[in-house]
Amino acid sequence: MLSELKRLFAIPGLAFEQGDGGLLRAVVNTPACHGELVLQGAHVTSWVPAGQQPVLWLSQKSNFDKGRPIRGGVPICFPWFGPNAKDSSAPAHGSARLVEWQVVSTLSKEDGAIAMGLATSIDPFVLNFDVEFGRVLRMTLRTELSKDATSPQSFEDALHTYFAVSDIRTISIAGLETVAYIDKVDQAALRPASGIPIQFAGETDRVYVDTRADCLLMDDGMKRVIRVSKSGSVSTVVWNPWIDKSKRMADFGDDEWPAMVCIETANVAAGRIELSPGESHATTAILSVEA
Ligand code: BG6
């Protein structure tokens, strides 16, 4: 499998290797950036633009095991978000992050970015994930409902991006000031728009239900602003587990919570997507570092 991947898809700036836990991964090293993607889950685990600190956060306690989720980077949540509404034994955030994806294409682009295409299927959907590692990180999850499906089907998705931050207590996130949200730390109450950028003083788990806006992650401690742009996404989820929830998660270090925040490009809850047989939908997130 590894030798086959190398033979068919390795190109200058993109190598394949066996990573932690024996999981196969792609490693990008170009003048523009360093990047890593684990084939299980088509899971981006690292993106470091040249001259910058790592943009993505990855837990020191993450599992790297066949069939278990990785804690950090960009898990792909599909075809549901959070617990399964009908089956509590089904995996949280769906099975896309747990299954092996196939590499279908690799390409070195004119602007120096490395583009990879990956595919899998989760019946009755066919999934394609296109990622470009360059000065920006561009990710598109394309979902097609099989032509053979007998009726329309709906799904939720999320590019569940974990960002590294200097200290959650000093950062802020702009872009969602005018958007109402579901507050998952308060019995899923619907809260009105706050009118101000998000600041963090406790466990935060919010689904901003109806927004196509960019977010700006402002981090004075790291002297950077990260822009999260998106298309094909009507929801944004913002999450930090804070102290108690961190302790309850075996794959999340007790003291790691100050160093991360999730801004998730999503279609969830009322924003779930319905497709007719043969139709497709693309959800795109574009990350860039500003001054
Ligand atoms: C977030 C959810 O997107 O993911 C949280 O809003 C959840 O409620 C978090 O705790 C992590 O989920 P998991 O399944 O990766 O532990």
Side-chain angles (χ1 to χ4, degrees), residues 43-256:
H43 195 132
V44 175
T45 52
S46 174
W47 176 55
V48 191
Q52 303 285 342
Q53 310 229 50
V55 172
L56 301 177
W57 178 86
L58 184 63
S59 172
Q60 300 287 329
K61 295 274 180 158
S62 178
N63 294 306
F64 287 93
D65 278 336
K66 203 168 169 8
R68 300 179 78 184
I70 293 168
R71 175 70 66 196
V74 190
I76 295 177
C77 305
F78 181 93
W80 60 83
F81 180 78
N84 184 285
K86 292 181 191 141
D87 178 2
S88 60
S89 68
H93 290 325
S95 49
R97 63 176 174 167
L98 307 177
V99 299
E100 197 71 13
W101 290 57
Q102 278 72 52
V103 178
V104 293
S105 64
T106 54
L107 175 72
S108 183
K109 299 194 63 180
E110 267 176 21
D111 63 0
I114 296 283
M116 294 184 68
L118 295 107
T120 194
S121 55
I122 294 178
D123 196 36
F125 299 103
V126 177
L127 297 179
N128 279 276
F129 183 61
D130 293 321
V131 55
E132 279 181 36
F133 290 96
R135 294 204 175 277
V136 303
L137 179 69
R138 184 184 296 267
M139 300 173 284
T140 295
L141 177 66
R142 189 179 306 276
T143 303
E144 183 181 340
L145 178 59
S146 162
K147 289 185 189 64
D148 302 330
T150 50
S151 57
Q153 301 282 339
S154 67
F155 64 86
E156 295 177 299
D157 68 4
L159 299 171
H160 187 311
T161 311
Y162 287 77
F163 292 96
V165 297
S166 57
D167 189 326
I168 188 74
R169 292 158 292 200
T170 60
I171 64 155
S172 62
I173 296 172
L176 300 168
E177 295 83 296
T178 60
V179 188
Y181 62 91
I182 297 170
D183 191 349
K184 289 173 72 177
V185 297
D186 188 12
Q187 298 168 347
L190 184 62
R191 299 258 167 248
S194 68
I196 52 171
I198 305 170
Q199 290 185 310
F200 297 82
E203 183 182 346
T204 302
D205 195 351
R206 299 180 178 182
V207 178
Y208 289 83
V209 208
D210 187 10
T211 174
R212 293 167 193 271
D214 285 12
C215 283
L216 291 177
L217 166 51
M218 292 175 295
D219 188 342
D220 288 348
M222 284 183 116
K223 295 192 174 50
R224 73 180 179 191
V225 174
I226 296 170
R227 179 178 291 273
V228 184
S229 307
K230 62 178 190 166
S231 65
S233 157
V234 297
S235 335
T236 297
V237 181
V238 175
W239 180 58
N240 179 284
W242 219 255
I243 300 165
D244 294 344
K245 186 162 176 171
S246 299
K247 289 186 180 155
R248 293 198 296 273
M249 293 185 286
D251 62 345
F252 195 116
D254 289 0
D255 301 323
E256 289 184 317

